[in-house]
Amino acid sequence: MNSKTLLLGAAAAFMLSPVAAMAERGSSGHLNIIYWQAPSTLNPYLSGGTKEVESASLVLESFARFDDTGTMVPWLAADIPTVENGGVSEDLTQITWTIADGITWSDGTPLTAADAVFTWEYCTHPEGGCAQASYFDGVDSVVAVDDMTVQINFNAPKPFPYTAFVGSESPIIQAAQFAECLGARAPECTDANFGPIGTGPFVVTDFRPNDVIEFEANQNFRYPDRPYFATVTFKGGGDAAAAARSVLETGEFDYAWNLQIDPTILAQMEAQGNGTVVTAFGTSVERLHLNQTNPDPALGDLRSTVEGGPHPFLTDPIIGQAMSMAIDRALLVEVGYGAGGQPTCNVLPAPELYASTANDDCLVQDIAGANALLDEAGYVDTDGDGIREANGMPLSVLYQTSTNAVRQDTQALVKQWWSEIGIDAELRNIDASVFFGGDPASPDTFQKFYADVEMYTNNFAGVDPEAYMANWRCSEIPGPDTQWQGSNIQRFCMEEYDALVDEMATTADLQERGRLAREMNDMIIQSYSIIPLIHRGGVSAHANSLEGIRMSDWDSELWNIMDWRRAE
Amino acid sequence: MLTYTIRRLLLAIPTLLFISFIIFLIVKLSPSDPTAGLPLTIPPEVREQIRESLGVNQPVFVQYFRWLQLMVWNEPLHLIEGWTGWNVAPESTTRIISYQTRSPVMDLIMQRMPQTLWVVGISYIVGIIIALPIGIISAYRQYSWFDQLGTFISMLGFSVPTFFTGVLFIVIFAVNLGWFPSVYDTTHVVTDWDSFIVQLKQIIMPVMVLGLFNASQISRFMRASMLDNLNQDYVRTARAKGLTEKVVVLVHVLRNSLIPVVTVIALNVPAVFGGAIITEQVFKVNGIGQLLIIAIQSGDVPTVQTVSFIFAVLIVLFNLIADVLYGVLDPRIRYD
Amino acid sequence: MTDGPNQPLATSGATPAGAAPVMEMEAYRPPRNQWWDVWDQFKTHKGALLGLGFFIFALLFVYVGPLIWTIDPTFIDIRARNSGPSLAHPMGTDQLGRDTLARMMAGGQTSIAVGLTAMLLSLVLGTLIGVVAGYFRRLDGPLMRLTDLFLAMPLLPLLLVIIMLFRDQLRAAFGPEGGIFILIVFVIGITSWMQTARVVRGDVLALKEREFVLAAKSIGTPSHRMILRHVLPNVMSPIMVSATLGIANAIITESALSFLGLGFPSDFPTWGRLLFDATDWLQQNPERVMWPGLAISLTVLSVNYIGDGLRDALDPRIRGR
C-alpha cells in the first residue's frame, strides 16, 4: 500500500458518512432499482440516452466525475489537472491525466493509458456513429505518454478542457474487449455492448435489453470494502407513477428514477412512510420559444425560415414581455413540478457563477401590467372578440409541445392566462418520438417549429455553458438547406450576441467567462424570444432503509452507488 | 379440402411479400426517428452521423430488399444453426439488427417470448374457458338473472379499459392487501413447486385483467350465435326426435354456433403473440407488446418490421386454420 | 297504419303457403308496416326500453346539459382544484380546478359522436366486405387477403403516417377540432372493421349452403336481392354484437390516441381521456374515475340492450311470440 492509495482512501472516507467505514463489501445484500424507461444497451457510446448512460455508470467510469454540488472529483485519475498544477498547458491546448494507482478492470487486468487512447479511437471512428462524439470535439489526438499518463491534445485553445473522459457520458472502455468492434463493426459485438468490462463497483451478470439488468459486486474493485451491496437488479418498464408506487407504496423497489408525476400524488405516496423523495438541480430549464420567423402555412416551403420573413407580431419584445408577465411561474411549479421545479427567469440558471439576476421581475405574475403594456404599445382589441390585434392581425398563437401530462396542464394554465391579456392560444401536443425526432419529412418536429410558440426542456451536460450559449448564433438557425439541423430553435439573430460567443471561446478566466455568459443570457431573455418557465430538477425516490444517496443532476444519479448501503 | 389448404399456403407467399412491403413503407414513412430519445445535449451533427451509421438514409427499396434477404435467408440459417449445432451459417452472418439495442432482433423476440406466453397466452386460455360456458348458459336461459349478470359483467369488462382495471387491481391487491407483486420479474425461473407459486402470484393480476377483457368479447359472440341457432327448425326436429336436452344444446346447437366464435378466437391468437401493450406496461411484464411499442416510439424500423412480419405470418396462418375449421364444423361449406 | 300491428307474423308463418315467411308477409302488406311490428316487439323487451331510455338521457345530458350548466369546461379555477363533489361543482373538479360536470358533458359530446360514427363506419365496411367475400366466391380470396393486410398493419405507425399526411389539410378545411374528429373517426373505422368482416363472412359461408338460400336461388332471385332479403337478416346477430363492442372499442381507442398525442387537443375533454387522466388519482379522488367510467359503461350497456331488443324485434321467428 503506497501513499497514493492512502490518499484515495482518505478522499473516500471524506465522501462517506462515518458509520459506513464499519461495513464491508456485499454486507447490505440486494438492491432493487427501477427506471421506468429501460436501458437498451450498456454501451453509452452506442446510445446516448440518460437511461443507458446511468445504468452503464455502475460499470464504466471516467477520469473524473461531478459530485452533487457540481464539483469535479477525481475518479480514475489521481487528481484534477489544472494550469496551476501543470496538468493543463499554458496555451490551453493540452491536458494530461494521470491514472491513479492500483486500478484494475473487473477481469483483473490493469487499467492503462492505452485503454483511454482506444476509447478515443472507438468513439471518433467515422463509421461508428458514436453518440458521445461531441465530447471529443476539438481533440486532435490522445497519446499514451506512459502506462499511467494520458495526454489529450486539442487543435485550438480549449478554455474548458474537461470534456473527454469526464462525467458518465464519456467513460473509458476496455481496449482488449472492444478491439474488434471499431467503426461499422460496433453493433456486431453484442456481448461486449451488453456486458462491458469496467472498473466500476459492479459487473453485469445478465442483461436483457429494454427489460432488466442483473449486477453483482466487482471482486476486483479498488476499494476493498465496497460496494456494500452484493447484487443489484435494475428493472425497466411501466410508467413514472408505477415506479413511484413500487418504492413508496408497495416497497418492492429501493430506488426509482425520474418521477415526473403530479406533486400532489407524489406527496401522498410519500406520506405512506416507506420512502423519501429526493431532488437535485442541474441546468434543465422548461422554456417557451417564440418563433421569430413566420410559420404561416401559406408560405409553403418558406414556413418558419429566415427567408420567409419575420413573424407578424412575436418579434416585438413588448408582446413577448406581456406573455411572460402573464404567467404565474410559482403556480406552474406547485401544480406540475412540486419539489422538482423552481420558477426561473433565466435560460442559463446554474451553476451559480453563470446565473444572472437581472431578469427576476418575471417571478411575480402581473396581468394588469401586461395588459397596460399592450394597451400602451397600441395592441388593442379592435373588433370586440376579446382578442387583441396587431396591424389588423389577431394575436392568436399555435402553442405546441410534446405529449406529457404535466406539459398539457401547463399548456392549459398558460392558455388561460394569455386569454386574460387578450392573446388566444390553440394547443397542440405531439408524440415525443416525432417532436424530438428530427425527421426532415415530418412537419411536427421541434426544429421545424411550424407553430408560433413551443415548449420543451433543454440543458447542457457538465458545468460549462460555452457550447450551450453558442446554440443561439445566427448560423445555428435551422432551415431546409441544413436539413433543419440547428439548435437556434426560435430563430434569434443578433450580431452582438455572436460576438460575445466568439469572445467566450477564447477567454480562459473563469470570472470573465461568467460575466460573458450572464450577458448573453440577458440578451436572449430581453429579446423575449425565449420565455424561461421552470428550472427543473431530477426527482427520484428511495426507500427509507437506503443510506448514502447523494443525488446529483450534474452526473449520473447513481454516481456514488458504491457508497449506498442498507441501514441497520 | 387438402388441395384448398395447399393452394392457400402457396398463395400466402405473395400475400406476405406484399403485406411486408406495405408495412415497410408505412414504418419508413412514419415520422418517428431513432435519435428522438437521445438527450438534446447531443448535437445535430452527431445525430446525423448516428443515422448514417444505422443506414437510415439509404433508399427505401435497398433497405427493404436487404431486410427481406436477411429475414428469409440469414435468419432461418441462424435458427437452424442454433437448434442443431451444424455450422450452416457462414462465419459472422449478418442478421437483422435493431437500431435501438444494436443487437439481433430475433434474439430480442426470443427473449420476450416466455413472459408473453405466460401472461397473454394464459389469459387467453382463461378467457376462452370462462367465456364459452357463460355464453352457452346465457343464451339457453335468455333473460334469466344469470344472463343479465353475465351481460352486465361482460359489458363492464369490455367497456372499462385495461389501463384502468390494471391500476385498480394493483391498488387493491398489491398496495392495500399486499398479496401480489406489482412488478413482474422476467428473470424468475420456475424450477420447483415454490417457484411455481411465485410465478403464479406474479401472473395472476395481468391474467385476470386480460382474461376479463377477452372473456367479455368471446362470450358475447357465443351467446348471440347460440341464440340464433336455438330458434332454428333443426333444434325443434332434434327435440321432437326425443334427444335429451343436453345432446340438443351441447352437440347440435353448439356445433352450429361455433362458426363466429371460431373466427373470433382464431383472429385473436396472433394477438397473443403480439402481446398486450397496455397491460404489459401496467404490470411491467416487458413482453413482445412492450418491445413493439418501444421500437415504434424510437423509430426502430428493423424491429417494428420484423415483429409485424411475424405477426402477419401468424394472422395468415390462423385465418387459414379458421377457414379449414369452418369446413369441419359445417361440412356443407366447400371451397373447391 | 290502421291495421298496423294486429297481424302478428306467427300467423302468417303458420299459413299453409310454406314459402319463406318474409316473402309471404310482403305479399299482402305495405312494407312500412313491418317497422311498426318491429317497434311493437321492441317495446315488449324491458331491457331494450331501459337501454333506449338511458341512451336518450345520455344524449340529452351531453347536448342539452351545457345549456343549463353553463360553466366553461376549459375554465381553470385553480383555487378549487382537486375538490370533491359540492354545490358549486356537483361532480368535483380536476387537478387544475376545472369543473368535472361540465367536462363530462363536453366530453360526452365527442365520445358519443366518435363512438357512433366510428362504429357505423367500421360496421358498414365490415359487413359489406364480409357479405361480399362470403357470397361471391371469386372475391373471397382478394378481400380476405386485404383483411389479413389490415390485421397485420401496425396501428401506431399507420396513425402517425395518416396524421402527418392529412392533418394540415383537414385542419384547414374543417377547423382544428372538426379536422381531428374526421381523422379519428376515419382511423378507428378503417382499423376495426376486420373482425366484423371475418365473422360475417364465416356466417355467410354457412348460410349460403342452407336450404332456403338454395331455394331462393333456384327460383332465380338476383344477387343483390338475395343478400338484402335473405343473407343480411340472418347475420344480424353477429353484426349487432360487433356494433356494441365497436362503440366501446371506439371510445377507448380514442382515449388511447389522445394520450399518445394523436387525438384531440389536450384541453378538449372526452370520456376516455377523463378516465385516463383520473386513473392516477384513483387513491386520492376515487369519484373522479367513477363518473367517466360509469358513463362509458352505461352507454355501452344501453347500446347493447338496444341491440338485443332490435335483434329480437327484427327476427321474424321471435316477433309476435
Side-chain angles (χ1 to χ4, degrees):
Chain A
M1 184 173 270
N2 58 30
S3 62
K4 249 184 191 148
T5 1
L6 273 178
L7 268 176
L8 271 177
F14 169 71
M15 285 188 276
L16 291 176
S17 52
V19 278
M22 324 260 274
E24 53 188 271
R25 177 177 293 162
S27 59
S28 287
H30 185 74
L31 174 68
N32 277 315
I33 299 176
I34 187 163
Y35 268 45
W36 54 272
Q37 289 176 333
S40 59
T41 174
L42 277 179
N43 183 346
Y45 291 114
L46 285 188
S47 174
T50 315
K51 52 198 172 41
E52 283 85 16
V53 168
E54 301 210 345
S55 53
S57 74
L58 270 66
V59 176
L60 299 173
E61 298 177 314
S62 44
F63 284 144
R65 277 186 177 174
F66 296 99
D67 71 3
D68 47 348
T69 62
T71 315
M72 227 182 309
V73 286
W75 210 251
L76 294 175
D79 50 16
I80 303 286
T82 57
V83 180
E84 288 76 44
N85 67 16
V88 177
S89 69
E90 287 290 334
D91 63 353
L92 306 174
T93 58
Q94 199 178 65
I95 182 169
T96 309
W97 293 90
T98 312
I99 300 174
D101 279 339
I103 293 178
T104 60
W105 296 99
S106 57
D107 61 4
T109 57
L111 168 76
T112 67
D115 290 310
V117 176
F118 174 81
T119 304
W120 168 68
E121 282 168 358
Y122 180 86
C123 189
T124 50
H125 194 287
E127 286 165 23
C130 173
Q132 310 296 358
S134 61
Y135 282 81
F136 298 95
D137 268 355
V139 175
D140 198 40
S141 65
V142 178
V143 183
V145 178
D146 58 49
D147 267 2
M148 305 306 275
T149 316
V150 181
Q151 194 181 67
I152 303 172
N153 299 308
F154 300 102
N155 49 24
K158 189 116 172 156
F160 188 85
Y162 311 104
T163 51
F165 310 123
V166 177
S168 318
E169 274 95 352
S170 57
I172 296 168
I173 54 175
Q174 195 191 32
Q177 192 187 20
F178 284 90
E180 297 295 310
C181 311
L182 280 174
R185 306 195 60 182
E188 284 171 26
C189 300
T190 307
D191 290 340
N193 295 334
F194 285 1
I197 294 172
T199 52
F202 291 97
V203 292
V204 189
T205 52
D206 187 12
F207 179 82
R208 301 183 184 204
N210 290 333
D211 180 15
V212 68
I213 318 170
E214 304 273 359
F215 295 99
E216 66 180 25
N218 173 5
Q219 293 308 326
N220 290 312
F221 192 51
R222 54 189 178 276
Y223 302 115
D225 58 337
R226 278 175 280 171
Y228 300 125
F229 281 101
T231 48
V232 177
T233 298
F234 195 105
K235 172 82 178 174
D239 54 45
R245 193 175 286 124
S246 67
V247 170
L248 299 172
E249 293 199 312
T250 67
E252 290 164 87
F253 280 78
D254 298 308
Y255 188 87
W257 158 88
N258 192 9
L259 305 178
Q260 213 204 359
I261 51 178
D262 194 291
T264 318
I265 298 178
L266 195 60
Q268 296 203 12
M269 284 185 182
E270 194 182 10
Q272 311 253 337
N274 288 329
T276 314
V277 174
V278 284
T279 54
F281 286 86
T283 59
S284 300
V285 173
E286 180 90 2
R287 76 286 292 278
L288 299 174
H289 286 228
L290 307 190
N291 199 339
Q292 302 295 298
T293 57
N294 194 348
D296 185 357
L299 289 172
D301 286 344
L302 291 178
R303 253 181 121 172
S304 287
T305 62
V306 179
E307 292 76 32
H311 194 279
F313 52 84
L314 286 179
T315 46
D316 185 349
I318 298 281
I319 291 182
Q321 191 181 352
M323 287 165 99
S324 174
M325 283 163 81
I327 296 170
D328 184 349
R329 290 169 173 79
L331 190 62
L332 289 181
V333 169
E334 193 184 324
V335 170
Y337 297 86
Q342 288 162 356
T344 186
C345 298
N346 296 308
V347 73
L348 176 60
E352 218 178 333
L353 170 67
Y354 305 107
S356 166
T357 51
N359 315 298
D360 288 353
D361 296 348
C362 88
L363 293 175
V364 183
Q365 183 190 31
D366 184 6
I367 293 209
N371 271 319
L373 200 64
L374 289 173
D375 287 341
E376 222 170 276
Y379 298 118
V380 286
D381 179 15
T382 47
D383 52 7
D385 59 354
I387 301 165
R388 295 171 189 271
E389 278 83 29
N391 316 321
M393 175 118 182
L395 296 185
S396 182
V397 293
L398 177 62
Y399 174 12
Q400 70 180 16
T401 187
S402 73
T403 303
N404 170 313
V406 175
R407 290 213 167 108
Q408 268 73 79
D409 283 356
T410 306
Q411 272 186 314
L413 281 165
V414 170
K415 176 179 171 158
Q416 173 143 331
W417 289 322
W418 284 350
S419 76
E420 286 172 32
I421 60 167
I423 296 176
D424 175 54
E426 181 197 327
L427 305 185
R428 176 183 290 170
N429 53 320
I430 299 156
D431 189 50
S433 69
V434 177
F435 189 61
F436 296 117
D439 181 348
S442 163
D444 287 334
T445 64
F446 77 109
Q447 291 104 329
K448 271 204 179 161
F449 204 171
Y450 283 176
D452 304 290
V453 179
E454 68 182 2
M455 176 170 75
Y456 62 93
T457 289
N458 201 352
N459 68 325
F460 58 94
V463 293
D464 183 67
E466 184 184 324
Y468 179 65
M469 298 315 281
N471 278 346
W472 294 292
R473 300 172 72 113
C474 297
S475 56
E476 285 292 328
I477 294 179
D481 45 334
T482 57
Q483 294 293 303
W484 301 93
Q485 308 273 334
S487 46
N488 188 347
I489 303 300
Q490 82 273 28
R491 287 98 165 114
F492 163 86
C493 186
M494 227 166 137
E495 271 171 41
E496 299 90 320
Y497 187 87
D498 285 11
L500 288 180
V501 172
D502 294 336
E503 194 183 339
M504 188 166 181
T506 54
T507 309
D509 179 63
L510 209 55
Q511 294 305 322
E512 189 59 15
R513 287 170 75 79
R515 185 191 64 79
L516 286 168
R518 287 196 300 271
E519 201 171 315
M520 284 191 266
N521 172 70
D522 295 347
M523 219 177 245
I524 293 178
I525 300 306
Q526 278 148 26
S527 77
Y528 288 98
S529 62
I530 291 184
I531 302 179
L533 299 176
I534 319 279
H535 181 194
R536 282 177 57 185
V539 182
S540 297
H542 66 83
N544 283 336
S545 65
L546 207 57
E547 281 182 351
I549 289 162
R550 289 168 69 197
M551 165 109 170
S552 163
D553 209 37
W554 303 105
D555 203 308
S556 161
E557 282 182 35
L558 312 172
W559 68 283
N560 72 335
I561 194 165
M562 64 176 182
D563 298 334
W564 291 15
R565 57 200 296 277
R566 183 82 62 197
E568 297 301 323
Chain B
M1 194 54 87
L2 187 68
T3 38
Y4 172 74
T5 313
I6 293 170
R7 205 179 64 220
R8 274 282 298 272
L9 279 176
L10 286 178
L11 200 67
I13 295 168
T15 313
L16 283 171
L17 281 180
F18 180 69
I19 292 180
S20 74
F21 184 63
I22 297 286
I23 295 176
F24 194 83
L25 277 186
I26 289 175
V27 177
K28 272 310 281 186
L29 258 177
S30 140
S32 56
D33 184 89
T35 63
L38 301 181
L40 294 178
T41 46
I42 293 181
E45 312 85 69
V46 175
R47 284 165 194 266
E48 191 50 38
Q49 253 181 20
I50 295 174
R51 281 189 207 108
E52 196 64 46
S53 77
L54 294 171
V56 176
N57 297 336
Q58 286 167 4
V60 173
F61 278 97
V62 174
Q63 289 188 48
Y64 174 69
F65 284 112
R66 176 87 184 128
W67 172 84
L68 194 65
Q69 183 217 339
L70 294 177
M71 185 72 214
V72 302
W73 183 245
N74 288 23
E75 288 295 344
L77 279 184
H78 202 90
L79 202 64
I80 293 169
E81 190 173 301
W83 278 344
T84 59
W86 301 337
N87 201 9
V88 279
E91 199 56 32
S92 80
T93 309
T94 8
R95 305 182 58 188
I96 303 173
I97 299 285
S98 146
Y99 285 172
Q100 211 192 355
T101 67
R102 307 281 188 109
S103 69
V105 174
M106 280 300 171
D107 293 357
L108 297 178
I109 295 175
M110 286 303 162
Q111 210 164 50
R112 269 130 197 283
M113 226 49 206
Q115 54 260 40
T116 309
L117 290 184
W118 266 108
V119 172
V120 190
I122 290 183
S123 70
Y124 200 55
I125 295 169
V126 167
I128 295 173
I129 292 176
I130 301 176
L132 293 187
I134 290 183
I136 294 168
I137 300 173
S138 293
Y140 189 65
R141 302 235 174 272
Q142 196 187 7
Y143 303 133
S144 66
W145 65 267
F146 184 92
D147 180 31
Q148 306 287 9
L149 190 74
T151 304
F152 186 74
I153 291 178
S154 59
M155 279 303 124
L156 211 64
F158 198 81
S159 63
V160 179
T162 47
F163 64 71
F164 172 67
T165 35
V167 175
L168 183 70
F169 277 29
I170 286 183
V171 167
I172 295 176
F173 295 110
V175 175
N176 288 329
L177 297 173
W179 289 353
F180 310 121
S182 74
V183 178
Y184 186 95
D185 178 9
T186 46
T187 56
H188 182 74
V189 187
V190 178
T191 50
D192 53 10
W193 179 251
D194 286 342
S195 60
F196 178 71
I197 295 295
V198 172
Q199 176 69 9
L200 214 56
K201 272 187 166 177
Q202 67 172 350
I203 64 167
I204 199 157
M205 285 201 294
V207 165
M208 295 264 288
V209 166
L210 275 179
L212 183 68
F213 187 78
N214 288 329
S216 309
Q217 193 184 13
I218 298 170
S219 72
R220 293 320 288 171
F221 277 104
M222 186 76 239
R223 174 180 179 272
S225 179
M226 285 288 284
L227 279 178
D228 273 357
N229 278 284
L230 277 169
N231 293 317
Q232 297 283 347
D233 295 339
Y234 73 85
V235 180
R236 212 173 308 150
T237 316
R239 284 192 180 125
K241 275 200 304 190
L243 294 178
T244 59
E245 203 58 16
K246 204 169 149 188
V247 174
V248 172
V249 175
L250 291 185
V251 179
H252 290 73
V253 181
L254 183 61
R255 182 174 174 154
N256 281 293
S257 316
L258 275 179
I259 283 188
V261 182
V262 162
T263 316
V264 174
I265 293 178
L267 212 61
N268 287 320
V269 171
V272 169
F273 294 90
I277 291 173
I278 291 175
T279 313
E280 281 183 15
Q281 166 147 338
V282 171
F283 294 99
K284 282 74 79 182
V285 177
N286 296 348
I288 304 235
Q290 191 249 13
L291 178 71
L292 185 64
I293 188 81
I294 288 195
I296 289 171
Q297 282 169 350
S298 55
D300 188 348
V301 178
T303 308
V304 180
Q305 171 73 7
T306 309
V307 173
S308 306
F309 180 74
I310 295 176
F311 198 52
V313 173
L314 289 171
I315 284 170
V316 170
L317 193 71
F318 274 91
N319 279 346
L320 173 60
I321 292 177
D323 280 347
V324 172
L325 276 180
Y326 291 169
V328 175
L329 289 169
D330 188 343
R332 281 174 303 191
I333 297 181
R334 282 182 308 267
Y335 297 103
D336 303 305
Chain C
M1 280 139 271
T2 44
D3 58 344
N6 53 16
Q7 198 60 267
L9 210 90
T11 341
S12 64
T15 48
V22 188
M23 308 283 287
E24 183 71 15
M25 179 185 72
E26 209 181 37
Y28 61 85
R29 213 184 302 149
R32 67 181 204 180
N33 277 357
Q34 190 183 348
W35 295 107
W36 282 101
D37 279 353
V38 169
W39 170 238
D40 260 16
Q41 176 62 29
F42 188 83
K43 273 196 303 192
T44 64
H45 191 301
K46 256 182 281 166
L49 273 187
L50 215 66
L52 188 66
F54 177 82
F55 196 68
I56 292 173
F57 168 74
L59 287 179
L60 288 176
F61 173 74
V62 302
Y63 287 104
V64 183
L67 302 177
I68 301 162
W69 188 255
T70 49
I71 293 186
D72 180 358
T74 60
F75 179 77
I76 297 171
D77 178 9
I78 202 73
R79 279 177 305 276
R81 70 176 189 265
N82 291 327
S83 56
S86 65
L87 220 56
H89 303 287
M91 288 185 180
T93 58
D94 69 1
Q95 76 276 8
L96 293 181
R98 291 175 290 205
D99 181 64
T100 306
L101 178 59
R103 287 170 74 73
M104 283 294 294
M105 290 170 178
Q109 289 178 8
T110 324
S111 284
I112 291 182
V114 167
L116 285 179
T117 39
M119 176 270 283
L120 281 177
L121 180 63
S122 99
L123 214 58
V124 167
L125 261 177
T127 311
L128 184 75
I129 290 179
V131 168
V132 169
Y135 193 81
F136 302 102
R137 183 170 297 162
R138 199 170 323 149
L139 291 175
D140 186 27
L143 283 178
M144 281 304 107
R145 297 302 78 76
L146 182 76
T147 316
D148 288 347
L149 171 68
F150 271 89
L151 280 169
M153 207 102 84
L155 184 62
L156 282 178
L158 179 70
L159 274 171
L160 290 174
V161 172
I162 293 179
I163 286 174
M164 180 181 79
L165 293 179
F166 301 114
R167 193 196 50 212
D168 280 346
Q169 286 90 321
L170 285 173
R171 181 169 175 259
F174 301 99
E177 278 132 33
I180 287 284
F181 180 84
I182 292 173
L183 207 64
I184 286 178
V185 165
F186 175 74
V187 162
I188 297 176
I190 64 153
T191 53
S192 60
W193 55 268
M194 292 83 75
Q195 179 160 322
T196 317
R198 292 272 334 176
V199 170
V200 167
R201 166 181 169 271
D203 261 11
V204 171
L205 282 177
L207 214 58
K208 212 167 55 169
E209 310 296 337
R210 291 263 277 276
E211 294 79 2
F212 72 92
V213 176
L214 292 177
K217 211 181 238 168
S218 65
I219 58 167
T221 317
S223 290
H224 69 272
R225 214 176 154 72
M226 285 289 296
I227 290 174
L228 287 178
R229 267 333 214 159
H230 300 286
V231 176
L232 216 46
N234 280 291
V235 290
M236 230 27 210
S237 50
I239 294 178
M240 281 299 168
V241 175
S242 297
T244 7
L245 298 183
I247 284 199
N249 182 47
I251 291 178
I252 291 163
T253 312
E254 184 281 315
S255 69
L257 293 186
S258 302
F259 168 66
L260 290 169
L262 306 173
F264 290 99
S266 57
D267 56 342
F268 199 82
T270 66
W271 283 348
R273 196 186 177 85
L274 289 175
L275 181 61
F276 186 87
D277 289 347
T279 304
D280 277 348
W281 297 85
L282 191 58
Q283 284 150 290
Q284 286 81 13
N285 295 42
E287 74 278 354
R288 258 187 78 181
V289 186
M290 222 170 67
W291 305 121
L294 268 181
I296 298 176
S297 303
L298 288 179
T299 307
V300 173
L301 203 63
S302 70
V303 173
N304 175 64
Y305 276 119
I306 297 172
D308 263 8
L310 263 184
R311 196 191 64 88
D312 286 2
L314 287 174
D315 188 343
R317 279 179 298 266
I318 300 180
R319 197 189 307 149
R321 209 174 4 165

